[in-house]
Amino acid sequence: MIYLDNSATTRPHPQVVEVVKRAMETYYGNPSSLHQKGLEAENILKQARAVAARFLGCKPSEIIFTSGGTESNNAAIKGVAMQFQSRGRHIITTSVEHPAVYDVCKQLEEFGFSVTYLPVDSAGRVSVEDLKRAIRPDTILVSVMHVNNELGTVQPIAEIGALLKQHPKILFHVDAVQSVGKLPIRLKEWGIDLLSVSAHKFYGPRGVGILYKREGLILQPLLMGGGQEGGFRSGTENLPAIAGMAKAIRLLEEMGPEEPARLASITQVLRQGLAEIPGCVVNTPSEGAAPHIVNVSFPGMKAEVLLHALEERGYLVSTKSACSSKANEPSRVLMAALQDRERALSAIRISVGRENTIEEARAFVAAASECVASIRPHMKAKA
Ligand SMILES: Cc1ncc(COP(=O)(O)O)c(C=O)c1O
């Protein structure tokens, strides 16, 4: 099987698995305990925090370990909403966010908050001008993702950050779950107050992530209890997963900037090859997309049928985001960008990772071409 669904999740790096196992076996103490086993565990936690802080270019005290992207997004958005509701109850986000942001905003609307969902262009990109116009005196938060998980579109985070510098009371949250390890992230330069990270998207364990919270920013915690993570995220730390995530970060650093460039050369082969298949439309923008995602449509064809035909030939891809696969409903994200039900219903996402090669991309294109050719006559017959 050739795994081409790395945006849904990645296969953990073997060295990450090793570190998780060793941490479970050896560092089983509670980091809050005062004895030797507790101190050992606390030390591992401290090292992991230092690794994460160095990688993101922030202070260790600005790193909060969470259970992943969903929790980081919830903690950031609800934390701001609860803390600053007396100042204002308006939030700006986009129509293409992951449900871990979008549905949180929907939930906050039920609690009396007002949310502006910015539209996107056909590439899935928001306009900074639209954002500027949406700002109101009662706006407390802007939440925009860095890389879109379905299309791979990169949002203008630096420009949004620059705009928001003129509005110092508005906080800026970025869901960077799909961009870590693929694109540089400049927290300070871009004026980011809160940033969400998830380890399983970069060969780390599931159920662990980071919320970067700018120093001095006080928010209402989502989880109350024992006061771990500076009182912002209570609960005994998931030490094996945190150690595994730190290992995954170290491995990203070792791979260096050549790896995103290598991924981009693989997706380039996919884009060009797939575009030549009759009836194929490439949805991922040719400029300003992340290196690891290609989304294409075959209007008239059911995405699931193509997905299973590809699976029979040994290729694993995705229809829409793994986290929102309500049957027969076109993806909200693709509808917002493409405004075309047929294209949205026939879209497949191919997302590559460290184990994929150019040769696999070429073989995939050939297999996709065969699949499309074998499905098409049945479509005509049905019509
Ligand atoms: C952009 C984005 N945000 C958030 C999440 C949720 O992250 P997690 O699976 O760690 O909860 C995902 C996962 O698919 C994602 O792609």
Side-chain angles (χ1 to χ4, degrees):
M1 282 290 173
I2 308 291
Y3 187 73
L4 294 168
D5 198 13
N6 288 273
S7 289
T9 194
T10 56
R11 178 175 168 189
H13 193 294
Q15 288 185 40
V16 167
V17 176
E18 207 34 59
V19 164
V20 172
K21 183 168 175 280
R22 202 169 58 233
M24 290 187 86
E25 286 165 355
T26 314
Y27 304 110
Y28 53 81
N30 186 324
S32 301
S33 295
L34 296 180
H35 49 66
Q36 186 202 332
K37 277 286 160 204
L39 292 179
E40 277 174 18
E42 194 193 6
N43 200 26
I44 296 291
L45 197 60
K46 204 171 150 195
Q47 283 175 31
R49 206 182 298 283
V51 167
R54 191 186 58 213
F55 178 73
L56 288 175
C58 66
K59 292 185 182 166
S61 57
E62 296 176 308
I63 297 287
I64 294 154
F65 292 123
T66 68
S67 67
T70 301
E71 186 191 323
S72 296
N73 287 342
N74 271 264
I77 298 168
K78 290 177 181 167
V80 170
M82 283 196 277
Q83 183 71 24
F84 295 103
Q85 54 184 320
S86 57
R87 188 196 283 172
R89 301 190 120 214
H90 180 234
I91 294 169
I92 302 173
T93 187
T94 82
S95 49
V96 293
E97 297 299 308
H98 186 275
V101 166
Y102 191 87
D103 290 352
V104 174
C105 290
K106 287 277 165 204
Q107 189 185 22
L108 286 174
E109 284 185 282
E110 288 172 26
F111 285 89
F113 286 82
S114 146
V115 182
T116 302
Y117 300 91
L118 296 172
V120 291
D121 63 14
S122 58
R125 200 169 291 121
V126 287
S127 129
V128 182
E129 274 306 308
D130 283 350
L131 171 57
K132 197 173 172 181
R133 275 193 292 274
I135 292 174
R136 308 190 324 207
D138 60 341
T139 307
I140 51 171
L141 173 70
V142 169
S143 178
V144 178
M145 72 202 315
H146 193 188
V147 168
N148 184 271
N149 50 301
E150 294 192 46
L151 284 165
T153 310
V154 180
Q155 299 295 356
I157 299 300
E159 290 86 336
I160 296 172
L163 169 69
L164 292 179
K165 279 186 187 151
Q166 297 159 30
H167 301 270
K169 285 199 163 169
I170 302 177
L171 295 168
F172 186 22
H173 168 247
V174 176
D175 175 349
V177 166
Q178 291 290 344
S179 65
V180 171
K182 314 295 189 309
L183 298 175
I185 294 170
R186 312 220 186 282
L187 289 175
K188 308 289 164 181
E189 200 182 311
W190 298 346
I192 295 171
D193 298 296
L194 294 150
L195 180 114
S196 303
V197 172
S198 176
H200 73 101
K201 308 288 185 181
F202 54 91
Y203 323 112
R206 287 206 202 150
V208 64
I210 294 168
L211 175 65
Y212 157 81
K213 181 166 75 63
R214 179 182 43 78
E215 189 172 44
L217 175 59
I218 294 169
L219 302 184
Q220 283 297 318
L222 207 57
L223 303 181
M224 299 298 290
Q228 290 89 345
E229 298 298 295
F232 186 70
R233 201 277 185 183
S234 289
T236 302
E237 300 86 345
N238 185 353
L239 196 82
I242 291 169
M245 173 165 63
K247 182 68 189 176
I249 291 175
R250 282 208 172 104
L251 291 166
L252 278 186
E253 289 173 331
E254 277 174 28
M255 282 194 278
E258 299 83 38
E259 177 59 9
R262 194 187 70 85
L263 296 180
S265 65
I266 300 176
T267 44
Q268 187 59 14
V269 167
L270 289 169
R271 283 183 72 91
Q272 283 177 351
L274 293 170
E276 283 173 20
I277 300 176
C280 175
V281 193
V282 180
N283 300 322
T284 298
S286 52
E287 304 247 314
H292 61 306
I293 299 175
V294 183
N295 190 305
V296 293
S297 290
F298 295 89
M301 207 166 278
K302 260 189 95 182
E304 284 79 1
V305 175
L306 185 53
L307 178 142
H308 290 304
L310 285 164
E311 184 169 9
E312 270 176 29
R313 285 171 168 79
Y315 297 95
L316 303 178
V317 300
S318 221
T319 51
K320 47 192 163 179
S321 157
C323 324
S324 60
S325 27
K326 247 201 222 157
N328 291 331
E329 273 295 305
S331 139
R332 158 178 56 79
V333 171
L334 296 184
M335 281 305 284
L338 311 175
Q339 313 251 341
D340 181 333
R341 207 180 147 81
E342 272 303 315
R343 253 170 93 183
L345 282 172
S346 63
I348 59 164
R349 177 188 68 182
I350 305 117
S351 48
V352 299
R354 56 177 278 272
E355 294 188 283
N356 296 122
T357 62
I358 296 250
E359 290 70 34
E360 285 175 355
R362 292 204 184 101
F364 174 81
V365 170
S369 181
E370 282 168 26
C371 289
V372 170
S374 68
I375 296 168
R376 186 152 285 130
H378 299 289
M379 282 165 50
K380 287 212 179 100
K382 246 176 96 187

